[in-house]
Amino acid sequence: MTNREPQIVVIGTGYVGLTTAACLAHLGHDVVGVDVDEAKVWALRRGEVPIVEAGLVGMVSRGLESGRLRFETSYEHAAGDVVLLCLPTPTTAAGDLDLSYIESAARQLRDVLEPGAIVVTKSTVPVGTHRDLLRWLDRPDLAVASNPEFLREGTAVHDFCHPDRVVIGAADVGVAERVAGLYRSLSAPILITDLASAELVKVAANTFLAAKLSFVNEMSRVCEATGGDIDEVIAGIASDHRIGTAFMRPGPGWGGSCFPKDTRGMAALGRQHGLELPMVTATIASNDAHMDHIDLSIRTSLGRPLADATVAVWGATFKAGTDDCRDSPALAIVRRLAAAGARIRLFDPVARPSVAGVEHCGDAYDACDNADLLVIATEWPEFGEADMNKVARLLAAPTVFDTRGILDPAAVAAAGLILHRPGHGASWAGVSNRDAVGTGSGGPR
Ligand code: UGA
């Protein structure tokens, strides 16, 4: 190898690939982003970013202007020294992960890579994928590595530039150190390990975070049943430094493209190896139970049959700061209410998912027009700043259900509205997990 700067190739320009490519160019590397979607590549060459991701437009345009970032559609341009695979691994109908994008990329890379190149998995892959990758590459002169990403949608650029750690797995420490060179200008600890451990870190981290949230949401249900206040309980336990304040917000249940997939992946891994993983399966079951509980609680707070009601819903994305609605708890709420016959007036600042029976509204206030209940399903900051007096004038009934706890209770009360929030006992009398979901549709009009 010469001492020249490595040519970096990123295969796939989704939120992980595009963020990685643009941020590596920002760190001073020469980066080629390869994607088979021609229309997307042409748009990216013009600096048009197809996803909502804070700071990404600026990163991409600065990369293009500096000449350090370019986009190509053909694998002819993928002959880099370090090739990062940022490809989707969707769940199949049978529940397995579909590795066909990775396989296809590996087979094409086999024909273009120079000896000594390293192929790195970056986006989430099942544990053990490195063995398949070596088989598909079928080139003993190439190396593989695992460098899992921990980027959160909506804050991916920030997370890339300020990581808690960089994890690199490889069979050979020299290979790992060459991958580590990509991140040398970041002030983050670099953990070098074996391939299987690196792949496991990613799924284990997401499973642990999901478990933390399932626990917090369970405690919010305990608060409702006992008259406690989840904010007080969290403040009390989070001040123990062993527990901490991060990832402690109760909500409508966790979702998105990662936690549901990774927790199911971890459960499947246990089954494949004949291992009992009761914490993992309970984490998933707890989230399902929580979503049932939220659904029942919304119906109870409405206090009338859903088939006879109009519900305003603020938010469709799985969290704020992204346009992603995959496995969105907000959309799960919308779908359940719509399936039970409610008319839904939905507003989300960036997403307009198509759901039968749902009317998309021009703004948050428009959604409230003559609705019997307002449900806040995603924590967009603008919802927390809404004029509650205006909301009160528009609603047909004075009830707000804030699944994310973003409203100021004093402002809501001052507007004459009744506020329901997960984890706040006083407003939840009569709602219990033992009640059947879907049968209680509230009292008569
Ligand atoms: C998650 C991980 O946080 C990232 O580290 C990881 O890289 C990414 O998955 C991935 O595997 O690619 P993401 O799915 O973008 O990131 O979103 P999170 O911010 O982790 O939120 C996940 C879910 O938890 C959302 O439904 C969110 O609303 C919920 N959540 C999060 C809460 O209900 N409360 C909290 O306190 C935090």
Side-chain angles (χ1 to χ4, degrees), residues 162-175:
H162 307 279
D164 289 338
R165 77 306 204 185
V166 173
V167 174
I168 299 168
D172 172 321
V173 78
V175 169

Side-chain angles (χ1 to χ4, degrees), residues 15-16 124 149-153 202 206 209 213 217 246-259 262 318-319 329 379 404:
Y15 100 92
V16 173
T124 310
E149 56 79 23
F150 303 102
L151 311 176
R152 292 163 299 171
E153 292 187 42
K202 171 62 196 257
N206 275 357
L209 290 168
L213 292 177
N217 285 332
F247 250 70
M248 292 289 263
R249 257 184 308 112
W254 42 264
S257 64
C258 306
F259 285 4
D262 286 357
F318 83 95
K319 64 175 185 177
E379 75 283 19
R404 302 281 186 165

Side-chain angles (χ1 to χ4, degrees), residues 185-221:
S185 56
L186 295 176
S187 58
I190 295 190
L191 312 179
I192 291 182
T193 181
D194 61 276
L195 280 153
S197 298
E199 288 171 342
L200 263 171
V201 166
K202 171 62 196 257
V203 194
N206 275 357
T207 304
F208 184 85
L209 290 168
K212 194 172 184 189
L213 292 177
S214 282
F215 178 81
V216 166
N217 285 332
E218 283 192 10
M219 291 308 104
S220 83
R221 306 203 293 274

